[in-house]
Amino acid sequence: MAAIDQSKIRNFCIVAHIDHGKSTLADRIIEKTGLLTSREMQAQVLDNMELERERGITIKAQTVRIIYNAKDGNEYIFNLIDTPGHVDFNYEVSRALAACDGAILVVDAAQGIEAQTLANVYLALDHDLDVFPVINKIDLPSAEPERVKDEIEDVIGIEAQDAPLISAKNGIGIEDVLEAIVEKIPAPGGSPDNPLQALIFDSVYDSYKGVIVFCRIMEGRVAKGTQIKMMATGATAEVAEVGYFGPGQFIPCEELSAGMVGYLTASIKNVKDTAVGDTVTDLNRPCAEPLPGYKKVNSMVYCGMYPADGAKYPDLRDALEKLKLNDASLNYEPETSVALGFGFRCGFLGLLHLEIIQERLEREYNLDLVTTAPGVIYRVHRTDGEMIELTNPSNLPDPSQIAYMEEPVVSAEIMVTTEFIGPIMQLCQERRGRYVSTEYIEAARALLKYELPLNEIIYDFFDALKSRSRGYASFDYEIKGYEESKLVKLDILINHEEVDALSFIVHADGAYERGRKMCEKLKEEIPRHLFEIPIQAAVGGKIIARETVKAMRKDVLAKCYGGDITRKKKLLEKQKEGKKRMRQIGSVEIPQSAFMSVLKLDDK
Amino acid sequence: MENLSIYIHIPFCVRKCLYCDFLSFSVCGKERLPAKEQSETSYVNRIGDKAFGEIESYVNLLRQEITRSAPEYKKYRVISIFFGGGTPSLLPAGALRAVLDSIRSGYRLADDVEITVEMNPDTVTEEKLEKYITSGVNRLSIGLQSADDAELARIGRVHDYGTFVRAYEMSRRAGFGNINIDVMAALPDQDIADYERTLRRVAALSPEHISAYSLTLEEHTPLFARQQEFRFPTDEEEREMYALTGKYLASLGYHRYEISNYARGGYECRHNKVYWQRGNYVGFGLGASSMVGNVRWSNPQAMERYRDYAGQIGRGPDCGTAAAVREKDADAFAVAHLSVPEQMEEFMFLGLRMMCGVSGQAFNAAFGVSLEEIYGELIGKLCAQRLLTREHDRVRLTERGIDVSNYVMAQFLFA
């Protein structure tokens, strides 16, 4: 293979707010460069997972190498690194950006800049990427490209007057984008002769090849047989294969050298050994220092996951194991609940991550799950000076042993049109937000900054935000740290028995409201029994709310006509079957749906 | 010689009531006419020639099925025959007699055979009643449902209360000494006082037997679709109506012998009890259910399929019996050879519908194992919950057990 001219490589990504057309533009770029016929294109090439396509978001970074014959007569190699598009995956985004030399900023010609656009652009600028904007969806009747250009210049401070005006959906202006990539994105630096220094920006597990490590070679070279070392995890291995990313496939090559983006395999059994952000170097000729920015990713949100059918516990364990192979940010450990039996306490980057894992378990592994209310990690400072990180409310020590508790707080940025500032501020107040500032981006739009407890935003904050701004508000956040807070454990008692799976930590001021709502919801969910069932919410043994499920008055089939006994028996069987799917708490049978219903208390 | 009961299904109605999900078709062209369109004249006059043709051809199929099935029932003695529907009284009296003739010529009838015909008040004529008597019919079951014309209209009955009273009196004059009246509780917009009025009016006529069912809203019925338009009695009110029925009728000498059936001494419906006590019964006609020798099956519900079936019995090179024809298409006929555990389940959940409950001795006789051994623990638990009660050899539902009888009965299923 002829040596690749480093000056003809362009490593870049596309950043955008969700729905602004990032994946569609990626598709068009791949299509225009001729490696794929239109017929081969699945709707969106880069969003691989079924789930990703359904939700219209990118969950894992996807990368593709394409060849572009530019107007200057040269052949260029483009490495397009598609980044995850959600705040849950901010760290992955930052590592993917670090693998690039430039970024295309896609802005919707009608909607303009949104909170997530800003967050992503600042992230790109922080990584010293050269960013150039393109204005997408210019064929929409509501498109205002000139206004959006001004907005980009005013708000972000990057040149936008010559931004390509495109419609990714209809293939308008794509050539301009390709030329702009050649002109505006710098060629990678680094020397093939230096010691190997490669950035891991993603990895996937393959049952034949082991872990496939996605990396950007900053310095040096790597080939089959190179002894490598991951500098942060310390893992070592011998490279079995290197290659680059064809559309939808891995294409082996002889060597990867400085400036290139590609993959390597080395019979690595676990993605834990190939942490995103780690630096790969040559074991025998190591680089002096790892690349900056490596961070151990921590789970932010925890919940209990239980198989609806207790016998499926081993299946759930196997499924989690398999998902973990591909997802180093998923954590789990076995736990037991009196109410739900054997299950796992699982940790996630955020609620979206949680939902994705839950859906994958249900769809790809055909599991029926009961999940408990997601919660954050609280820090419990005990009177004896010890600090516990609490992921399961049931493990909260006795109040007499607690000196104080802390909860995680985020810095949030909410972009909103000025007419909705009032309702949004009220929402933030309700969620115990602390006002920081308001910045007017233009006459009609403002960026609200708040500090909010994480546990107030993990449920339905985003939905509430959308509904109170008729969909116009956008939102981004990052973890700020821990702060002391007046937290209590809310317990639910059904027929005087505490149901561990329903306990959770809540701010003292919200306990009554929350407890009342939970009791109301459970009353709807628990069917009448032969006896009356009190449902109570309690804090520290004190009852703060109560509802009652009245005793079943009647369950009798009047008619049984013409000797049709089979129909009657089916009815009885259905009744008995229904009971089997319930969870037994003392003498009360609770449907699975009851555990899930309390997660959605704010539906009105 | 074993006992056998025969059920004959007549799937025709003047029009379907709004709550009905039984297998029946309207033969008056327009289905479910609004009540105010009822005419003074009998509905029979409005049945067109086409409908008569339809009925006639159905009766011929029925007779074919009855006659050709007869060889299978040689060892049985028929103790009851029940014409149900639909509206059996819609049949011309001659047609009903012809069906009975087919039975008489192919089956051995007990001397005291109980022969019941279900009637809709609107279809009763003196001529018909006389022919019933001479055909051997000795019991009538008249569907009244309510003595309140507004309530009748709401549920889409074709008759009013006056028509019913005339039909009832006509039946008495014709010589029927064993009459059941069907009433319904928990009707739309009905309150307890309304229901009590119906009950008093019915009891004042002094029938031998009263069936009192609560309305069940079945999916796919017009009433189900329109339920928002009405206020339905609450569960509590419905139970009050039920309690009232038992108490009031008891004061007049009717005893409750099954969850929803009341009779004066000696007038319990023999046919009805066969279902609950797991006697043998064969159903003839469209969609009719049977249980003979611990095999259950149901006839096809589509007329075409039923016609094929009736045509195949006893035909072909191997002269297939009805049972052989059904076995060839066991799924379509829902043929179920009941296992011993299934028989035990049925013994319990059917037997408990009878107020006398189930007998330990009978259980032992049927299965060669004691009731205690199979269900002792469960019965003990349900007795402790006061849902069942035990007296000597018998186990039966308590009043509270009746209220939640589905729950109780479901416990006796093994699966």
Side-chain angles (χ1 to χ4, degrees):
Chain A
M1 195 166 104
I4 290 163
D5 180 355
Q6 213 169 308
S7 70
K8 301 290 185 292
I9 297 176
R10 296 291 180 272
N11 298 320
F12 64 97
C13 59
I14 305 173
V15 294
H17 184 71
I18 191 165
D19 287 342
H20 280 197
K22 185 176 75 167
S23 296
T24 317
L25 176 60
D27 288 352
R28 290 296 160 271
I29 290 175
I30 294 164
E31 199 178 41
K32 281 280 177 188
T33 49
L35 280 187
L36 271 185
T37 62
S38 302
R39 206 166 61 85
E40 284 169 335
M41 300 279 294
Q42 275 179 294
Q44 290 183 348
V45 169
L46 290 183
D47 288 351
N48 262 339
M49 264 191 277
E50 182 191 347
L51 254 178
E52 291 186 334
R53 198 163 298 129
E54 262 172 44
R55 287 176 171 241
I57 51 168
T58 307
I59 297 164
K60 287 189 76 73
Q62 304 282 334
T63 300
V64 65
R65 188 183 101 142
I66 46 194
I67 310 294
Y68 176 60
N69 289 305
K71 288 184 180 155
D72 65 8
N74 291 316
E75 194 177 73
Y76 287 84
I77 291 173
F78 287 179
N79 287 304
L80 166 55
I81 300 171
D82 194 25
T83 57
H86 191 276
V87 60
D88 278 8
F89 304 100
N90 262 350
Y91 177 66
E92 277 79 354
V93 177
S94 83
R95 293 307 85 202
L97 292 175
C100 299
D101 302 299
I104 305 172
L105 167 66
V106 182
V107 183
D108 185 306
Q111 306 211 345
I113 291 173
E114 308 261 8
Q116 221 180 54
T117 320
L118 273 187
N120 288 337
V121 134
Y122 288 144
L123 208 54
L125 294 171
D126 284 349
H127 287 87
D128 291 329
L129 301 193
D130 286 15
V131 178
F132 76 86
V134 305
I135 315 292
N136 192 19
K137 305 195 189 179
I138 52 149
D139 52 341
L140 289 183
S142 53
E144 294 178 89
E146 291 312 314
R147 182 186 68 80
V148 170
K149 280 182 188 176
D150 290 346
E151 194 179 87
I152 293 170
E153 295 196 336
D154 291 350
V155 177
I156 304 173
I158 58 173
E159 168 64 33
Q161 289 314 312
D162 58 352
L165 301 181
I166 69 163
S167 163
K169 191 173 158 211
N170 295 313
I172 301 165
I174 306 303
E175 294 281 339
D176 297 344
V177 179
L178 294 170
E179 285 298 317
I181 293 168
V182 172
E183 281 168 36
K184 300 196 170 175
I185 290 174
S191 162
D193 301 324
N194 286 341
L196 175 65
Q197 192 183 36
L199 171 71
I200 301 177
F201 62 88
D202 199 3
S203 57
V204 298
Y205 181 80
D206 178 280
S207 45
Y208 298 105
K209 296 180 174 179
V211 178
I212 301 173
V213 180
F214 293 23
C215 54
R216 155 78 190 267
I217 315 296
M218 297 298 184
E219 299 285 350
R221 60 182 82 222
V222 61
K224 182 178 174 182
T226 308
Q227 298 288 325
I228 54 166
K229 180 182 179 185
M230 321 298 160
M231 297 181 78
T233 65
T236 60
E238 183 183 313
V239 174
E241 182 182 311
V242 297
Y244 56 87
F245 305 103
Q249 57 185 330
F250 295 104
I251 300 173
C253 66
E254 277 174 25
E255 177 187 91
L256 296 175
S257 61
M260 294 172 76
V261 170
Y263 70 88
L264 60 84
T265 68
S267 301
I268 302 162
K269 287 282 164 272
N270 200 317
V271 286
K272 268 192 290 194
D273 292 334
T274 59
V276 168
D278 200 353
T279 303
V280 182
T281 192
D282 191 325
L283 183 64
N284 301 316
R285 191 186 164 220
C287 57
E289 284 187 349
L291 293 157
Y294 172 76
K295 184 165 90 168
K296 193 170 178 298
V297 180
N298 293 314
S299 299
M300 298 304 302
V301 174
Y302 277 80
C303 78
M305 285 192 165
Y306 293 81
D309 172 0
K312 292 276 175 73
Y313 174 78
D315 298 13
L316 175 58
R317 187 188 55 216
D318 293 352
L320 282 169
E321 239 167 57
K322 281 187 189 137
L323 287 179
K324 171 96 183 147
L325 283 177
N326 248 331
D327 186 347
S329 48
L330 167 68
N331 287 310
Y332 63 91
E333 57 183 56
E335 72 172 7
T336 317
S337 152
V338 179
L340 299 175
F342 290 102
F344 294 92
R345 176 92 352 202
C346 304
F348 308 92
L349 295 172
L351 205 60
L352 177 74
H353 188 211
L354 183 160
E355 283 172 16
I356 287 163
I357 295 293
Q358 186 185 340
E359 277 193 46
R360 291 189 67 184
L361 288 169
E362 287 179 347
R363 277 195 217 181
E364 294 168 30
Y365 297 92
N366 207 14
L367 290 162
D368 204 358
L369 297 177
V370 180
T371 54
T372 64
V376 301
I377 306 167
Y378 297 97
R379 288 185 179 162
V380 182
H381 295 266
R382 294 179 14 160
T383 45
D384 62 6
E386 199 190 327
M387 190 272 279
I388 309 166
E389 296 213 319
L390 186 76
T391 57
N392 182 349
S394 301
N395 299 337
L396 187 73
D398 188 84
S400 65
Q401 295 172 18
I402 301 173
Y404 66 97
M405 287 173 74
E406 289 181 310
E407 66 177 332
V409 172
V410 304
S411 300
E413 293 187 345
I414 301 160
M415 189 164 294
V416 63
T417 46
T418 43
E419 54 181 317
F420 297 114
I421 286 182
I424 298 302
M425 288 180 90
Q426 190 178 346
L427 172 66
C428 292
Q429 287 317 306
E430 286 166 15
R431 302 297 175 103
R432 297 191 283 131
R434 194 157 56 223
Y435 174 77
V436 177
S437 67
T438 309
E439 289 166 24
Y440 284 84
I441 287 170
E442 49 177 17
R445 276 205 306 176
L447 188 67
L448 287 176
K449 292 193 177 177
Y450 266 91
E451 286 173 7
L452 285 154
L454 182 62
N455 83 348
E456 294 287 343
I457 61 173
I458 58 170
Y459 288 96
D460 58 341
F461 184 75
F462 193 64
D463 292 339
L465 201 62
K466 286 281 175 194
S467 75
R468 294 200 197 184
S469 66
R470 293 204 213 114
Y472 282 111
S474 57
F475 167 61
D476 201 47
Y477 70 84
E478 61 180 19
I479 300 294
K480 180 171 171 278
Y482 273 80
E483 287 184 10
E484 186 173 341
S485 181
K486 215 168 64 183
L487 298 164
V488 294
K489 179 163 137 259
L490 181 69
D491 295 315
I492 297 292
L493 290 81
I494 293 178
N495 206 22
H496 308 293
E497 286 199 45
E498 194 177 306
V499 184
D500 58 355
L502 291 173
S503 293
F504 70 101
I505 306 290
V506 62
H507 190 265
D509 295 347
Y512 166 72
E513 183 67 14
R514 194 97 196 166
R516 191 179 55 76
K517 278 189 184 165
M518 281 186 80
C519 290
E520 281 171 10
K521 199 83 176 185
L522 287 167
K523 184 189 175 182
E524 288 168 25
E525 291 287 334
I526 297 175
R528 287 186 175 200
H529 281 52
L530 294 174
F531 45 89
E532 190 174 281
I533 305 165
I535 301 170
Q536 296 160 306
V539 170
K542 186 171 163 251
I543 305 296
I544 57 168
R546 175 186 166 129
E547 292 283 342
T548 305
V549 178
K550 283 205 261 174
M552 181 202 296
R553 189 64 193 90
K554 146 190 188 204
D555 181 14
V556 51
L557 183 74
K559 209 110 186 170
C560 199
Y561 198 78
D564 186 0
I565 303 306
T566 315
R567 185 167 156 181
K568 163 122 180 136
K569 187 173 171 191
K570 277 191 183 134
L571 190 112
L572 296 177
E573 275 170 349
K574 212 168 130 190
Q575 174 158 10
K576 204 165 185 203
E577 188 55 34
K579 291 209 184 298
K580 267 199 271 180
R581 284 199 303 270
M582 301 222 191
R583 298 286 176 167
Q584 185 92 25
I585 306 287
S587 50
V588 180
E589 281 150 343
I590 304 177
Q592 317 270 20
S593 58
F595 294 95
M596 309 299 275
S597 73
V598 296
L599 309 184
K600 296 177 192 140
L601 291 181
D602 298 274
D603 295 351
K604 277 175 191 143
Chain B
M1 180 150 271
E2 286 186 64
N3 290 340
L4 179 73
S5 290
I6 293 177
Y7 174 79
I8 309 284
H9 191 64
I10 307 296
F12 304 108
C13 280
V14 169
R15 68 158 201 252
K16 286 201 81 150
C17 302
L18 297 175
Y19 55 85
C20 173
D21 74 333
F22 297 144
L23 184 60
S24 67
F25 323 105
S26 163
V27 289
C28 280
K30 278 192 205 162
E31 270 199 69
R32 307 186 199 264
L33 297 170
K36 59 172 172 282
E37 284 181 28
Q38 290 173 25
S39 72
E40 287 298 307
T41 57
S42 163
Y43 269 85
V44 178
N45 301 333
R46 291 172 53 174
I47 297 171
D49 291 344
K50 183 169 165 283
F52 270 119
E54 209 179 312
I55 293 171
E56 198 180 355
S57 89
Y58 178 75
V59 168
N60 287 338
L61 283 180
L62 203 48
R63 295 180 64 189
Q64 190 176 331
E65 187 196 4
I66 291 167
T67 305
R68 291 183 178 178
S69 302
E72 288 176 58
Y73 300 100
K74 285 292 171 223
K75 65 168 178 167
Y76 294 97
R77 181 182 55 204
V78 177
I79 57 161
S80 70
I81 300 169
F82 194 101
F83 286 86
T87 306
S89 55
L90 202 58
L91 290 189
L96 189 125
R97 164 174 282 175
V99 173
L100 279 173
D101 287 346
S102 297
I103 296 175
R104 284 213 169 79
S105 60
Y107 300 74
R108 189 192 311 255
L109 266 54
D111 293 341
D112 62 344
V113 62
E114 173 193 275
I115 304 179
T116 307
V117 177
E118 281 188 333
M119 299 205 310
N120 189 309
D122 218 77
T123 57
V124 179
T125 63
E126 279 177 5
E127 184 212 349
K128 231 181 235 180
L129 290 167
E130 272 167 35
K131 278 204 179 145
Y132 285 175
I133 292 271
T134 55
S135 308
V137 176
N138 51 25
R139 186 171 181 273
L140 294 179
S141 174
I142 311 178
L144 166 63
Q145 318 312 354
S146 168
D148 180 316
D149 288 348
E151 282 175 10
L152 289 171
R154 251 174 252 139
I155 56 173
R157 298 287 297 179
V158 294
H159 59 85
D160 56 21
Y161 181 59
T163 311
F164 161 79
V165 174
R166 283 193 293 282
Y168 180 83
E169 284 167 353
M170 220 186 280
S171 304
R172 283 295 193 215
R173 281 199 302 275
F176 282 96
N178 185 357
I179 298 181
N180 166 59
I181 299 175
D182 276 345
V183 298
M184 274 181 139
L187 297 178
D189 290 344
Q190 184 185 51
D191 63 23
I192 292 168
D194 295 334
Y195 175 70
E196 186 170 2
R197 226 167 4 252
T198 288
L199 206 55
R200 285 180 182 278
R201 284 181 164 184
V202 168
L205 295 172
S206 206
E208 285 69 30
H209 188 286
I210 295 173
S211 289
Y213 291 103
S214 290
L215 175 73
T216 315
L217 263 186
E218 300 286 353
E219 268 182 273
H220 313 300
T221 59
L223 194 61
F224 186 89
R226 290 172 47 190
Q227 56 182 295
Q228 300 304 332
E229 297 172 29
F230 307 105
R231 180 197 170 272
F232 284 87
T234 61
D235 284 356
E236 281 71 17
E237 288 167 328
E238 189 272 335
R239 282 295 91 188
E240 209 174 311
M241 291 177 189
Y242 183 79
L244 174 75
T245 312
K247 206 170 145 197
Y248 177 66
L249 292 183
S251 74
L252 299 175
Y254 295 90
H255 68 283
R256 182 194 284 153
Y257 69 95
E258 190 264 357
I259 288 183
S260 306
N261 285 288
Y262 305 80
R264 288 209 159 127
Y267 287 100
E268 294 176 359
C269 175
R270 183 189 281 178
H271 188 86
N272 196 351
K273 291 201 303 197
V274 166
Y275 295 145
W276 314 128
Q277 293 175 336
R278 300 192 74 251
N280 295 308
Y281 60 94
V282 56
F284 294 121
L286 193 71
S289 304
S290 306
M291 190 199 75
V292 179
N294 282 315
V295 181
R296 290 197 181 278
W297 74 90
S298 294
N299 279 357
Q301 301 212 348
M303 193 61 88
E304 290 306 307
R305 301 291 308 274
Y306 173 63
R307 183 175 294 127
D308 291 348
Y309 167 58
Q312 280 168 27
I313 304 169
R315 286 292 179 84
D318 51 354
C319 271
T321 60
V325 175
R326 290 191 300 267
E327 288 295 344
K328 267 186 234 160
D329 200 0
D331 280 353
F333 285 88
V335 177
H337 296 262
L338 301 174
S339 66
V340 170
E342 283 170 331
Q343 294 171 33
M344 288 175 173
E345 291 173 341
E346 286 192 0
F347 185 96
M348 298 308 293
F349 78 72
L350 295 175
L352 285 173
R353 278 196 75 98
M354 299 288 295
M355 294 300 101
C356 62
V358 297
S359 138
Q361 251 179 354
F363 190 92
N364 214 328
F367 304 114
V369 55
S370 78
L371 180 60
E372 189 58 32
E373 190 173 320
I374 304 295
Y375 284 124
E377 195 181 330
L378 176 62
I379 291 170
K381 189 185 125 198
L382 292 168
C383 284
Q385 290 178 282
R386 314 224 162 166
L387 300 172
L388 290 182
T389 174
R390 234 186 306 221
E391 271 168 53
H392 310 296
D393 176 50
R394 305 196 77 92
V395 177
R396 58 183 178 82
L397 292 171
T398 59
E399 288 290 320
R400 174 69 178 140
I402 292 172
D403 290 345
V404 294
S405 55
N406 276 354
Y407 168 83
V408 177
M409 290 166 182
Q411 307 306 305
F412 286 92
L413 302 187
F414 292 111

